Amino acid sequence: MKKNLWMLAAILTLCGVMKAQTAEVSDSLKQDKRSTDAVFYKYNYPSVDAEGKDVVLSSLLVAWNPEEPNEDDGIESVHIYSHFTITSDDECPTSEMNLKESVLFSFLANGIYGLGSDEDQNFISRCIIIAPDYEGYGVTKDLAHPYLAQELTARQMTDAVDYGLRLYNKHVNDKRALQFKSDWRSFGFGFSQGGAVALAVQRRLEQLGMDRELRYRGSIVGDGPYDLIATMRYYMDDDGNSYDTETDHHKGITTMPMVIPMIIQGMLDTHPDLKSHKLEDYLSQQFLDTGIMEWIKSKELTINNIHERWYEQLQEGFEADGRTYTKEQMEELFQSPKEDKVWAHLDKLFTTQFYDYLADASNFNDVPTEKGDACKDLHRALADNGVASGWQPKHRIQFVHSKGDMVVPYGNYLSFRDAHPDGEGDWYKIDDSVTPSDHIAVGTEFFLYLCTTGTYGEVFQWLDEDPASTGINDSQLSIVNYQFSNAWYTLDGRRLNGKPTVKGLYIYNGKKVVIK
C-alpha cells in the first residue's frame, strides 16, 4: 500500500513538473479580443532559461487595425513594453484579469485622449505593442521568476519581439493585418522593474545590432532599479532628506518589503556565484516564517494582498512551524505607517551577518572579486545586474524619476548620469517633475501621461529624432529583411547566434536550409 502511494505521489510530482513544460510554440497569432481599432493577440515563443535550456514563454501583441482601414494605412511604430513588478499571475500582460495594461494598450493603439490625433504624431498610435510575460508568469507561472536578472530577461524580451514580428508578418501576408510603412520604427518603455528591463533590452539590441534591424529610436523609462547597490544603500542610509526632498523614509527600513526576498531569490536562481548559497544566509527566520516565499511562489497574491497579511500578523502575532511570534516581536520586524501598509526594519528582516555587511559603508567602495563569501557574492551579483553603467547607449533615453521615491530611489538615475556625464540633455533627459510623489503614485502618472498628448507626445518626437538613425536608408529595411536577413532559426522558431554547426534542417533568409 505504501509503495503504491509512493508511486502515485511520484506520478503526481512528475505531472506537476511537466505541467510547466506543456506550452507549445505558436505557429500563428491567436486573436483574443478587439477594442475599437486595437486587436489583441496572444502567442507563445521559444527562448532560453538561466541555464541555457529551451523554454516556451508567452506574450501579448496589440496591433492597430481599423475595421475599415484606408488604402494607405499601415503600422508606423513598434512599442516594446516591459512590465512592472507583480506578484500575482493575474497581473501579467496575457492574463484575462489584467485590466490596467489592457486599458493602457487600448488607449495607446487607439489614440484615445488625443495621442496621435495630430498628423505628425500618428506614428505613435498606429502601432504594434509587444508585451511579454516575464518568465514565471503566463504559461510559465509554475516556474520561478528570475527577478531583476537583467541579461536573461532582456534575452527573453528580444526573443519575444523577434518571434512576435515574424508571426505578425504571416498575418500581413494573409491580408489579415496591416503592413508596415516604409519608415516604421521602434521604441521601448517601462516603469519600475520594467524601466530597468527596458534599459537592458536597449543594451542588448545595441550590442547585437538588432537596433538597426528594428529601427530602434530609444526608451522611455520610469523610476527603475538601474543600480541595485544604490537602492540598498538608500534603504540603509537615508533619513528622509536625500536629493533635497523630504520624505517619511528613515534609516534601516524598506517601505516595500517583498522586493527584498524577490531580489535575493532572483540572484540565487540565476547568478553562477550564488549556487552554493541559500536564502537563509540573508533573510532572518522570523521574516521567512511570515510565509513570504510561499506567497510569492503561489503567484496568487498581489502586493496589496501581501501587505494585508503582514498587517494581520503585526496586529495579532502568529505561529509557524512550532515557532510563536508575539505582537511585540512583530513590532520589532514591521511597522505600519497607515492601515494595511507595512514597512520592515532591515535589522530584523536580514540575518545579522548580512545586515552588518550592509551597514558597513566601506564594503561598498569597490565590488569584491573574491568568491565564496555569501555577502560578497551577493554584492557582486547585485552589481552585475545593474544597467546604469558598463555600456554606452547608442540611442536616446527619457528618464522619469521622482526624488521622493522611497522604493526605487532617485539615486538610480544619478548612477546612470554619473556613468554618462557628457550625454545629459542630448542623448538622455530627466523629468523629475513628478517629485515628491512616491513610487506607486509616480507609476500612475507615468502611464497616464503615456496615453495623453501632453509631454509624452513630445518625448516620442524627441526620441524619433535620434541622431543615431541619421544615414540609415529606411526604404531598404523592410520588415521581411528585419525578420530573416542574415538570421538562422531552428524549425521551432528559435533564433541562433550565427550559422549552426550541428547537422540538421534550419531556416535562413526565410527558406529551409540543410546543414550537412
Side-chain angles (χ1 to χ4, degrees), residues 227-298:
D227 184 341
L228 295 175
I229 301 298
T231 301
M232 288 291 189
R233 297 307 310 152
Y234 172 88
Y235 293 161
M236 294 296 295
D237 298 337
D238 173 71
D239 215 12
N241 52 15
S242 297
Y243 319 121
D244 299 321
T245 301
E246 292 187 6
T247 69
D248 292 331
H249 191 270
H250 50 270
K251 293 181 180 180
I253 64 114
T254 174
T255 61
M256 194 172 284
M258 74 286 303
V259 301
I260 299 292
M262 291 180 71
I263 290 172
I264 297 176
Q265 189 64 63
M267 300 299 101
L268 288 170
D269 289 341
T270 59
H271 198 281
D273 293 348
L274 295 180
K275 292 187 180 298
S276 62
H277 305 305
K278 56 187 184 298
L279 203 58
E280 289 78 4
D281 292 332
Y282 309 100
L283 301 179
S284 71
Q285 187 65 58
Q286 180 180 2
F287 182 63
L288 290 172
D289 278 348
T290 65
I292 180 58
M293 299 314 299
E294 288 74 18
W295 301 339
I296 291 173
K297 290 176 183 177
S298 75

Coordinates of all heavy atoms in Angstrom, one line a residue, residues 227-298:
D227 N 20.4 50.5 -10.6 CA 21.6 50.3 -9.7 C 21.1 49.7 -8.4 O 20.7 50.4 -7.5 CB 22.3 51.6 -9.5 CG 23.6 51.4 -8.7 OD1 23.8 50.3 -8.0 OD2 24.5 52.3 -8.8
L228 N 21.2 48.4 -8.3 CA 20.7 47.7 -7.1 C 21.5 48.0 -5.8 O 21.0 48.0 -4.7 CB 20.6 46.2 -7.3 CG 19.7 45.7 -8.4 CD1 19.8 44.2 -8.6 CD2 18.2 46.1 -8.0
I229 N 22.8 48.3 -6.0 CA 23.6 48.7 -4.9 C 23.2 50.0 -4.3 O 23.0 50.2 -3.1 CB 25.1 48.7 -5.3 CG1 25.6 47.4 -5.8 CG2 25.9 49.2 -4.1 CD1 25.5 46.2 -4.8
A230 N 22.9 51.0 -5.2 CA 22.5 52.3 -4.8 C 21.1 52.2 -4.1 O 20.9 52.9 -3.1 CB 22.4 53.2 -6.0
T231 N 20.3 51.3 -4.5 CA 19.0 51.1 -3.9 C 19.2 50.6 -2.5 O 18.5 51.1 -1.5 CB 18.1 50.1 -4.7 OG1 17.9 50.6 -6.0 CG2 16.8 49.9 -4.1
M232 N 20.0 49.6 -2.3 CA 20.2 49.0 -1.0 C 20.9 50.1 0.0 O 20.5 50.2 1.1 CB 21.1 47.8 -1.1 CG 20.4 46.6 -1.6 SD 19.2 45.9 -0.5 CE 18.8 44.4 -1.4
R233 N 21.8 50.8 -0.6 CA 22.5 51.9 0.3 C 21.5 52.9 0.7 O 21.5 53.4 1.9 CB 23.6 52.6 -0.5 CG 24.7 51.7 -1.0 CD 25.4 50.9 0.2 NE 25.7 51.7 1.3 CZ 25.7 51.3 2.6 NH1 25.4 50.0 2.8 NH2 26.0 52.1 3.6
Y234 N 20.5 53.3 -0.1 CA 19.5 54.2 0.3 C 18.7 53.7 1.4 O 18.4 54.4 2.4 CB 18.5 54.5 -0.9 CG 17.3 55.3 -0.6 CD1 17.3 56.7 -0.6 CD2 16.1 54.7 -0.3 CE1 16.2 57.5 -0.3 CE2 15.0 55.4 0.0 CZ 15.0 56.8 0.0 OH 13.9 57.5 0.3
Y235 N 18.2 52.4 1.4 CA 17.5 51.8 2.4 C 18.2 51.9 3.8 O 17.6 52.2 4.8 CB 17.2 50.3 2.1 CG 16.2 50.1 1.0 CD1 16.2 48.8 0.4 CD2 15.4 51.1 0.5 CE1 15.4 48.6 -0.7 CE2 14.6 50.8 -0.6 CZ 14.5 49.6 -1.2 OH 13.7 49.3 -2.2
M236 N 19.5 51.7 3.7 CA 20.3 51.6 4.9 C 20.7 53.1 5.4 O 20.7 53.3 6.7 CB 21.7 50.9 4.6 CG 21.5 49.4 4.3 SD 20.8 48.5 5.7 CE 22.1 48.6 6.9
D237 N 20.8 54.0 4.6 CA 21.4 55.3 5.0 C 20.5 56.5 5.0 O 20.7 57.5 5.7 CB 22.6 55.7 4.0 CG 23.7 54.7 4.1 OD1 23.8 54.0 5.1 OD2 24.5 54.6 3.1
D238 N 19.4 56.5 4.1 CA 18.6 57.7 4.0 C 17.8 57.9 5.3 O 17.1 57.0 5.8 CB 17.7 57.6 2.8 CG 16.7 58.7 2.7 OD1 17.1 59.8 2.4 OD2 15.5 58.5 3.1
D239 N 17.7 59.2 5.7 CA 16.9 59.6 6.9 C 15.9 60.6 6.5 O 15.6 61.5 7.2 CB 17.8 60.1 8.0 CG 17.3 59.7 9.3 OD1 16.4 58.9 9.4 OD2 17.8 60.3 10.3
G240 N 15.3 60.4 5.3 CA 14.2 61.3 4.8 C 14.6 62.6 4.2 O 13.7 63.5 4.0
N241 N 15.9 62.8 3.9 CA 16.3 64.1 3.4 C 17.3 64.0 2.2 O 18.0 64.9 1.9 CB 17.0 64.9 4.5 CG 18.1 64.1 5.2 OD1 18.6 63.1 4.7 ND2 18.5 64.6 6.4
S242 N 17.3 62.9 1.5 CA 18.1 62.7 0.4 C 17.6 63.5 -0.8 O 16.3 63.7 -0.9 CB 18.3 61.3 0.0 OG 18.9 60.5 1.0
Y243 N 18.4 63.9 -1.7 CA 18.1 64.5 -3.0 C 17.3 65.8 -2.8 O 16.4 66.2 -3.6 CB 17.3 63.5 -3.9 CG 17.8 62.1 -3.8 CD1 17.0 61.1 -3.4 CD2 19.2 61.9 -4.2 CE1 17.5 59.8 -3.3 CE2 19.7 60.6 -4.1 CZ 18.9 59.6 -3.7 OH 19.4 58.3 -3.6
D244 N 17.5 66.6 -1.7 CA 16.9 67.9 -1.5 C 15.4 67.7 -1.4 O 14.6 68.7 -1.7 CB 17.3 68.9 -2.6 CG 18.8 69.1 -2.6 OD1 19.4 69.2 -1.5 OD2 19.3 69.3 -3.7
T245 N 14.9 66.6 -0.9 CA 13.5 66.3 -0.8 C 13.2 65.6 0.5 O 13.9 64.7 0.9 CB 12.9 65.5 -2.0 OG1 13.2 66.1 -3.2 CG2 11.4 65.2 -1.9
E246 N 12.1 66.1 1.2 CA 11.8 65.4 2.5 C 10.8 64.3 2.2 O 9.8 64.5 1.5 CB 11.2 66.5 3.4 CG 12.2 67.5 3.9 CD 11.7 68.4 5.0 OE1 10.5 68.1 5.4 OE2 12.4 69.4 5.4
T247 N 11.1 63.1 2.8 CA 10.2 62.0 2.7 C 10.0 61.4 4.1 O 10.6 61.9 5.1 CB 10.7 60.9 1.8 OG1 11.8 60.3 2.4 CG2 11.1 61.5 0.4
D248 N 9.1 60.4 4.2 CA 8.9 59.7 5.5 C 9.9 58.6 5.7 O 9.8 57.9 6.8 CB 7.5 59.2 5.5 CG 6.4 60.3 5.6 OD1 6.7 61.3 6.1 OD2 5.3 60.0 5.1
H249 N 10.8 58.4 4.8 CA 11.8 57.3 5.0 C 12.7 57.6 6.1 O 13.0 58.7 6.4 CB 12.6 57.1 3.7 CG 13.4 55.9 3.7 ND1 14.7 55.8 4.1 CD2 13.1 54.6 3.3 CE1 15.2 54.6 4.0 NE2 14.2 53.8 3.5
H250 N 13.2 56.5 6.8 CA 14.3 56.7 7.8 C 15.2 55.5 7.7 O 14.9 54.5 7.1 CB 13.7 56.9 9.2 CG 12.7 55.8 9.6 ND1 11.4 56.0 9.4 CD2 12.9 54.6 10.2 CE1 10.7 54.9 9.9 NE2 11.6 54.1 10.4
K251 N 16.4 55.7 8.2 CA 17.5 54.7 8.1 C 17.1 53.3 8.5 O 16.4 53.1 9.5 CB 18.7 55.1 8.9 CG 19.4 56.4 8.4 CD 20.6 56.7 9.3 CE 21.2 58.0 8.8 NZ 22.4 58.3 9.7
G252 N 17.5 52.3 7.7 CA 17.3 51.0 8.1 C 15.9 50.4 7.9 O 15.6 49.4 8.5
I253 N 15.1 51.0 7.0 CA 13.8 50.4 6.7 C 13.6 50.3 5.2 O 14.2 51.0 4.4 CB 12.6 51.2 7.3 CG1 12.6 52.6 6.7 CG2 12.8 51.3 8.8 CD1 11.3 52.9 5.9
T254 N 12.7 49.4 4.8 CA 12.2 49.3 3.4 C 10.7 49.5 3.4 O 10.0 48.8 4.2 CB 12.6 48.0 2.7 OG1 12.0 47.9 1.4 CG2 12.2 46.8 3.5
T255 N 10.2 50.3 2.5 CA 8.7 50.6 2.5 C 8.0 49.6 1.7 O 6.7 49.6 1.7 CB 8.5 52.0 2.0 OG1 9.0 52.1 0.6 CG2 9.2 53.0 2.9
M256 N 8.7 48.7 0.9 CA 8.0 47.7 0.1 C 8.8 46.4 0.4 O 9.6 45.9 -0.5 CB 7.9 48.0 -1.3 CG 7.0 47.1 -2.1 SD 6.7 47.7 -3.8 CE 5.6 49.1 -3.6
P257 N 8.6 45.7 1.5 CA 9.5 44.6 2.0 C 9.5 43.4 1.0 O 10.6 42.7 1.0 CB 8.9 44.2 3.3 CG 8.1 45.4 3.8 CD 7.6 46.0 2.5
M258 N 8.5 43.2 0.2 CA 8.5 41.9 -0.6 C 9.5 42.0 -1.7 O 9.9 41.0 -2.3 CB 7.1 41.6 -1.2 CG 6.7 42.5 -2.3 SD 6.2 44.1 -1.7 CE 4.9 43.7 -0.5
V259 N 10.0 43.2 -2.1 CA 11.0 43.3 -3.1 C 12.4 42.7 -2.7 O 13.1 42.2 -3.5 CB 11.2 44.7 -3.7 CG1 9.9 45.2 -4.2 CG2 11.8 45.6 -2.7
I260 N 12.7 42.7 -1.4 CA 13.9 42.2 -0.9 C 14.1 40.7 -1.1 O 15.1 40.3 -1.8 CB 14.1 42.6 0.6 CG1 14.1 44.1 0.8 CG2 15.4 41.9 1.1 CD1 15.3 44.8 0.3
P261 N 13.2 39.9 -0.7 CA 13.3 38.5 -1.0 C 13.2 38.1 -2.5 O 13.9 37.2 -2.9 CB 12.2 37.8 -0.2 CG 11.2 38.9 0.0 CD 12.0 40.1 0.2
M262 N 12.5 38.9 -3.2 CA 12.4 38.7 -4.7 C 13.7 39.0 -5.3 O 14.2 38.2 -6.2 CB 11.3 39.6 -5.3 CG 9.9 39.2 -4.9 SD 8.6 40.2 -5.6 CE 8.7 39.7 -7.3
I263 N 14.4 40.0 -4.9 CA 15.7 40.4 -5.4 C 16.7 39.3 -5.1 O 17.4 38.7 -6.0 CB 16.2 41.7 -4.9 CG1 15.4 42.9 -5.5 CG2 17.7 41.9 -5.2 CD1 15.7 44.2 -4.8
I264 N 16.8 38.9 -3.8 CA 17.8 37.9 -3.4 C 17.5 36.5 -4.1 O 18.4 35.9 -4.6 CB 17.8 37.7 -1.9 CG1 18.2 39.1 -1.3 CG2 18.7 36.6 -1.5 CD1 18.2 39.1 0.2
Q265 N 16.2 36.1 -4.1 CA 15.9 34.8 -4.8 C 16.2 34.8 -6.2 O 16.7 33.9 -6.8 CB 14.4 34.5 -4.6 CG 14.1 33.0 -5.0 CD 14.8 32.0 -4.2 OE1 14.6 31.9 -3.0 NE2 15.6 31.2 -4.8
G266 N 16.0 36.0 -6.9 CA 16.3 36.1 -8.3 C 17.8 36.0 -8.5 O 18.2 35.3 -9.5
M267 N 18.6 36.5 -7.7 CA 20.1 36.4 -7.8 C 20.5 34.9 -7.5 O 21.4 34.4 -8.2 CB 20.8 37.3 -6.8 CG 20.5 38.8 -7.0 SD 21.0 39.5 -8.6 CE 19.3 39.6 -9.4
L268 N 19.9 34.3 -6.5 CA 20.3 32.9 -6.2 C 19.9 32.0 -7.4 O 20.7 31.0 -7.6 CB 19.5 32.5 -4.9 CG 19.9 33.1 -3.6 CD1 18.9 32.7 -2.5 CD2 21.3 32.6 -3.2
D269 N 18.9 32.3 -8.0 CA 18.4 31.4 -9.1 C 19.2 31.6 -10.4 O 19.2 30.7 -11.3 CB 16.9 31.6 -9.4 CG 16.0 31.1 -8.3 OD1 16.5 30.3 -7.5 OD2 14.8 31.6 -8.2
T270 N 19.9 32.7 -10.6 CA 20.4 33.0 -11.9 C 21.9 33.3 -11.9 O 22.6 33.1 -12.9 CB 19.7 34.2 -12.5 OG1 19.9 35.3 -11.7 CG2 18.2 33.9 -12.7
H271 N 22.5 33.7 -10.8 CA 23.9 34.1 -10.8 C 24.8 32.9 -10.4 O 24.6 32.3 -9.4 CB 24.2 35.3 -9.8 CG 25.5 36.0 -10.1 ND1 26.7 35.5 -9.7 CD2 25.7 37.2 -10.7 CE1 27.6 36.4 -10.1 NE2 27.1 37.4 -10.7
P272 N 25.8 32.6 -11.2 CA 26.6 31.4 -11.0 C 27.4 31.4 -9.7 O 27.7 30.3 -9.1 CB 27.6 31.4 -12.2 CG 27.6 32.8 -12.7 CD 26.2 33.3 -12.5
D273 N 27.7 32.6 -9.2 CA 28.5 32.6 -7.9 C 27.7 32.4 -6.7 O 28.2 32.3 -5.6 CB 29.2 34.0 -7.8 CG 30.2 34.2 -8.9 OD1 30.6 33.3 -9.6 OD2 30.7 35.4 -9.0
L274 N 26.3 32.3 -6.8 CA 25.5 32.1 -5.7 C 24.9 30.7 -5.6 O 24.0 30.4 -4.7 CB 24.3 33.1 -5.7 CG 24.7 34.5 -5.6 CD1 23.5 35.4 -5.7 CD2 25.5 34.8 -4.3
K275 N 25.4 29.7 -6.4 CA 24.8 28.4 -6.4 C 25.1 27.7 -5.1 O 24.3 26.8 -4.7 CB 25.4 27.6 -7.5 CG 25.0 28.1 -8.9 CD 25.4 27.1 -10.0 CE 25.0 27.6 -11.4 NZ 23.5 27.7 -11.5
S276 N 26.1 28.0 -4.3 CA 26.4 27.3 -3.0 C 25.7 28.0 -1.9 O 25.9 27.6 -0.7 CB 27.9 27.3 -2.8 OG 28.4 28.6 -2.7
H277 N 25.0 29.1 -2.1 CA 24.3 29.8 -1.0 C 22.8 29.6 -1.0 O 22.3 29.1 -2.0 CB 24.7 31.3 -1.1 CG 26.1 31.6 -1.2 ND1 27.0 31.2 -0.2 CD2 26.9 32.3 -2.1 CE1 28.2 31.6 -0.5 NE2 28.2 32.2 -1.6
K278 N 22.2 30.0 0.1 CA 20.7 29.8 0.2 C 20.1 31.1 0.8 O 20.8 31.9 1.3 CB 20.4 28.6 1.0 CG 21.0 28.6 2.4 CD 20.8 27.2 3.1 CE 21.3 27.2 4.5 NZ 22.8 27.5 4.6
L279 N 18.8 31.1 0.7 CA 18.0 32.3 1.1 C 18.3 32.6 2.6 O 18.3 33.7 3.1 CB 16.5 32.1 0.9 CG 15.7 33.3 0.7 CD1 16.2 34.2 -0.4 CD2 14.2 32.9 0.5
E280 N 18.4 31.5 3.4 CA 18.6 31.6 4.9 C 19.9 32.3 5.2 O 20.1 32.7 6.4 CB 18.5 30.3 5.5 CG 17.1 29.6 5.6 CD 16.7 29.0 4.2 OE1 17.6 29.0 3.3 OE2 15.6 28.6 4.1
D281 N 20.8 32.4 4.3 CA 22.1 33.1 4.5 C 21.9 34.7 4.6 O 22.7 35.4 5.2 CB 23.1 32.9 3.4 CG 23.6 31.5 3.3 OD1 23.6 30.8 4.4 OD2 23.9 31.0 2.2
Y282 N 20.7 35.1 4.1 CA 20.5 36.5 4.0 C 19.2 37.0 4.8 O 19.2 38.1 5.3 CB 20.3 36.9 2.5 CG 21.5 36.4 1.7 CD1 21.3 35.3 0.9 CD2 22.7 37.1 1.7 CE1 22.4 34.8 0.1 CE2 23.8 36.6 0.9 CZ 23.6 35.5 0.2 OH 24.6 35.0 -0.6
L283 N 18.2 36.2 4.8 CA 16.9 36.6 5.4 C 16.7 35.9 6.8 O 17.0 34.7 6.9 CB 15.8 36.3 4.5 CG 15.8 37.0 3.1 CD1 14.6 36.6 2.3 CD2 15.9 38.5 3.3
S284 N 16.2 36.6 7.8 CA 16.0 36.0 9.1 C 14.9 35.0 9.1 O 14.0 35.0 8.3 CB 15.6 37.2 10.1 OG 14.3 37.6 9.8
Q285 N 15.0 34.1 10.1 CA 14.0 33.1 10.2 C 12.6 33.7 10.5 O 11.6 33.2 9.9 CB 14.3 32.1 11.4 CG 13.4 30.9 11.5 CD 13.6 30.0 10.3 OE1 14.6 29.5 10.0 NE2 12.5 29.7 9.6
Q286 N 12.5 34.7 11.3 CA 11.3 35.3 11.6 C 10.6 35.9 10.3 O 9.4 35.7 10.1 CB 11.4 36.5 12.6 CG 10.1 37.2 12.9 CD 10.3 38.3 13.9 OE1 11.4 38.6 14.3 NE2 9.2 39.0 14.3
F287 N 11.4 36.5 9.5 CA 10.8 37.1 8.2 C 10.4 36.0 7.3 O 9.3 36.0 6.7 CB 11.9 38.0 7.5 CG 11.4 38.6 6.3 CD1 10.3 39.5 6.3 CD2 11.9 38.4 5.1 CE1 9.8 40.1 5.2 CE2 11.5 39.0 3.9 CZ 10.4 39.9 4.0
L288 N 11.2 34.9 7.2 CA 10.8 33.8 6.3 C 9.6 33.1 6.8 O 8.7 32.6 6.1 CB 12.0 32.8 6.2 CG 13.2 33.3 5.4 CD1 14.3 32.3 5.6 CD2 12.8 33.5 3.9
D289 N 9.4 33.0 8.2 CA 8.3 32.4 8.8 C 7.0 33.1 8.5 O 5.9 32.5 8.7 CB 8.5 32.2 10.3 CG 9.3 31.0 10.7 OD1 9.6 30.2 9.8 OD2 9.8 30.9 11.8
T290 N 7.0 34.3 8.1 CA 5.8 35.0 7.8 C 5.0 34.4 6.6 O 3.9 34.6 6.4 CB 6.0 36.5 7.4 OG1 6.8 36.6 6.2 CG2 6.7 37.2 8.6
G291 N 5.8 33.6 5.8 CA 5.2 32.9 4.7 C 5.5 33.6 3.3 O 4.9 33.2 2.3
I292 N 6.4 34.6 3.3 CA 6.6 35.4 2.2 C 7.0 34.6 0.9 O 6.5 34.9 -0.2 CB 7.6 36.5 2.5 CG1 7.8 37.4 1.2 CG2 8.9 35.9 3.0 CD1 6.6 38.1 0.7
M293 N 7.9 33.6 1.1 CA 8.3 32.9 -0.1 C 7.2 32.0 -0.7 O 7.1 31.9 -1.9 CB 9.5 32.0 0.2 CG 10.7 32.9 0.7 SD 11.1 34.3 -0.3 CE 11.4 33.6 -1.9
E294 N 6.4 31.4 0.2 CA 5.2 30.6 -0.3 C 4.2 31.5 -1.0 O 3.7 31.1 -2.1 CB 4.6 29.9 0.9 CG 5.4 28.8 1.5 CD 6.5 29.2 2.3 OE1 6.5 30.4 2.7 OE2 7.4 28.4 2.6
W295 N 4.0 32.7 -0.5 CA 3.1 33.7 -1.2 C 3.6 34.1 -2.5 O 2.9 34.1 -3.5 CB 2.9 34.9 -0.3 CG 2.4 34.7 1.1 CD1 1.7 33.6 1.5 CD2 2.5 35.5 2.2 NE1 1.3 33.7 2.8 CE2 1.8 34.9 3.3 CE3 3.1 36.8 2.4 CZ2 1.7 35.4 4.5 CZ3 3.0 37.3 3.7 CH2 2.3 36.7 4.7
I296 N 4.9 34.4 -2.6 CA 5.5 34.7 -3.9 C 5.4 33.6 -4.9 O 5.1 33.8 -6.1 CB 6.9 35.2 -3.7 CG1 7.0 36.6 -3.0 CG2 7.7 35.4 -5.1 CD1 8.4 37.0 -2.6
K297 N 5.8 32.4 -4.4 CA 5.8 31.2 -5.3 C 4.4 30.9 -5.8 O 4.2 30.3 -6.9 CB 6.4 30.0 -4.6 CG 7.9 30.2 -4.4 CD 8.4 29.0 -3.6 CE 9.9 29.2 -3.3 NZ 10.4 28.0 -2.5
S298 N 3.4 31.2 -5.0 CA 2.0 30.8 -5.4 C 1.5 31.6 -6.6 O 0.6 31.1 -7.3 CB 1.0 31.0 -4.2 OG 0.8 32.4 -4.0

